[in-house]
Amino acid sequence: MRRVLGILLLLCGAKLYAHTWNEPWHKEVVAKSTVFGLYEVVKSSRFVLKLKLVKHLAGEKTKKRVSVSNYYLYERASLASELDDHPFNYRKGQKVYVFLKNEGKKYSIATPTAGIDEVMHDGSVAATYRHSLHRAKANPQDYELLQTCIFNHLHSLKCSLEALDIINNALKEPVGILSETASDQEADRFFRQHGALEASYILSLNHSIERIQPFLDSQFFHVQTSAVRALWASDIVDKEERLVSFIKSPKKDGMARVMAVVLLNDSSSKNTVEILRQYVKDASEEEVYLGGSLMDPRIGTWFPESIKAAIEWFLAKKQSL
């Protein structure tokens, strides 16, 4: 069941490549881009992606036609053949939202699968808010407002009030989850809240614990994972203690607990380090599933393989404390 639910988020299937890479998280993808817009694929070959501007949304405005021939966050995790160095693989006429980086006469995208979200046949977007392995269905109007807000925030510009309203309104609704029996309305609510929670993390929005707690209490692993990220971004006074309790709770999901450990690495007290040092011997070694499959090139993405491995990594980083 867990694997089935994870695959539901992969709204655009991974293309086959001869190698794997460490896929960057969405915040880094947007922060290091210089352009965000909607484009149409004019030509896609192994070495060059040619795009036609449909709608400029943020950052510098490109010419009507742009050429993409490189990646700006591409960290290969395995060896590749010389024929597969630039595996652009998109369909002519396809519309895509793209985060580009200006590199002089040409542009680059983050990786073959990051920083580029496809418009699907029904007009909705296979949206990335956390990681390209965890795409969510979004209507284009909300998607454009949220992603433009994220881009502006990460480039020291203001976010629109409309985007903030989308976030706040989504988090006022009952907590949504995905399941095999979920209605279209329930699934759409989950996707809206996924975008709202992940945007809250990137934007460092200060939600109250009363707003976040229902999502922390959800039984669905993707909701828990987004909720711990939103919690960490808030100004809640005891958020560090809450994350430690979350990590130690066997009732919480493994992926979400590992995410909480990774978040604590950004800033944590000596007390937290000591608590986790004492807890590590009892931490679970059960494998944590980030998403994708053995055939997915993004399998090279760095993410601790268990709660125990995450805490050991954390403690190694905090040896001076």
Side-chain angles (χ1 to χ4, degrees):
M1 173 67 74
R2 181 188 175 98
R3 183 173 294 272
V4 170
L5 292 175
I7 290 173
L8 284 174
L9 289 176
L10 303 181
L11 298 177
C12 294
K15 303 172 177 69
L16 296 178
Y17 300 98
H19 57 280
T20 64
W21 54 84
N22 183 11
E23 186 83 322
W25 297 74
H26 189 57
K27 182 177 181 179
E28 184 180 12
V29 170
V30 180
K32 294 189 177 180
S33 68
T34 61
V35 178
F36 174 51
L38 175 63
Y39 291 82
E40 180 181 327
V41 176
V42 176
K43 180 180 179 181
S44 179
S45 69
R46 223 173 34 239
F47 303 104
V48 177
L49 180 66
K50 293 189 176 180
L51 302 171
K52 180 174 70 174
L53 177 65
V54 176
K55 185 178 185 179
H56 172 258
L57 291 165
E60 63 183 69
K61 187 171 183 178
T62 65
K63 294 181 179 179
K64 189 67 176 177
R65 292 179 181 263
V66 297
S67 179
V68 180
S69 58
N70 207 351
Y71 305 116
Y72 62 87
L73 285 174
Y74 187 45
E75 183 184 336
R76 185 176 290 157
S78 64
L79 297 176
S81 68
E82 292 182 359
L83 295 177
D84 204 18
D85 278 346
H86 296 78
F88 294 110
N89 190 4
Y90 295 93
R91 186 181 70 254
K92 182 178 179 181
Q94 185 176 20
K95 287 193 171 61
V96 288
Y97 287 95
V98 191
F99 292 93
L100 297 171
K101 184 176 182 180
N102 187 345
E103 295 186 330
K105 294 183 179 180
K106 294 185 178 181
Y107 290 84
S108 62
I109 60 175
T111 77
T113 48
I116 182 164
D117 287 342
E118 300 177 19
V119 178
M120 298 188 289
H121 294 298
D122 65 357
S124 59
V125 185
T128 305
Y129 294 111
R130 181 199 296 155
H131 191 278
S132 70
L133 280 169
H134 305 154
R135 286 193 164 106
K137 184 178 181 180
N139 74 63
Q141 293 80 18
D142 287 0
Y143 174 87
E144 290 179 5
L145 284 167
L146 284 181
Q147 297 287 15
T148 299
C149 172
I150 289 169
F151 182 98
N152 286 343
H153 173 78
L154 293 176
H155 293 81
S156 302
L157 299 172
K158 290 184 178 181
C159 178
S160 71
L161 293 177
E162 293 90 341
L164 297 177
D165 284 342
I166 290 171
I167 294 169
N168 289 323
N169 290 337
L171 299 185
K172 290 177 183 177
E173 298 181 76
V175 177
I177 65 169
L178 286 181
S179 73
E180 292 178 333
T181 60
S183 67
D184 290 343
Q185 292 78 12
E186 289 170 330
D188 286 344
R189 184 168 74 247
F190 162 77
F191 287 131
R192 287 196 303 274
Q193 291 174 338
H194 172 81
L197 288 167
E198 292 296 334
S200 296
Y201 166 72
I202 296 175
L203 299 172
S204 297
L205 296 184
N206 185 27
H207 296 301
S208 68
I209 190 58
E210 290 76 18
R211 178 62 54 84
I212 297 174
Q213 192 64 52
F215 298 94
L216 292 169
D217 292 339
S218 170
Q219 298 301 305
F220 190 43
F221 66 104
H222 274 298
V223 176
Q224 289 184 26
T225 301
S226 294
V228 296
R229 286 157 65 83
L231 171 62
W232 186 243
S234 74
D235 293 335
I236 296 169
V237 175
D238 61 344
K239 63 183 181 182
E240 189 170 323
E241 291 82 358
R242 288 178 180 274
L243 279 188
V244 171
S245 295
F246 188 97
I247 292 164
K248 294 176 67 178
S249 173
K251 295 181 180 181
K252 300 301 184 183
D253 177 76
M255 185 177 82
R257 292 163 72 187
V258 169
M259 179 61 72
V261 176
V262 173
L263 291 168
L264 282 174
N265 184 59
D266 290 340
S267 175
S268 53
S269 65
K270 291 183 179 180
N271 185 54
T272 292
V273 173
E274 185 56 34
I275 291 172
L276 292 182
R277 183 175 287 123
Q278 294 177 18
Y279 174 68
V280 68
K281 65 181 182 299
D282 299 318
S284 172
E285 296 183 63
E286 182 179 351
E287 184 178 359
V288 167
Y289 175 68
L290 182 62
S293 70
L294 291 176
M295 298 300 293
D296 194 308
R298 294 166 292 183
I299 198 172
T301 301
W302 178 85
F303 195 72
E305 62 186 13
S306 68
I307 298 166
K308 188 182 187 74
I311 296 174
E312 288 175 341
W313 165 83
F314 170 84
L315 293 174
K317 291 280 190 179
K318 302 296 181 181
Q319 286 182 347
S320 61
L321 293 180

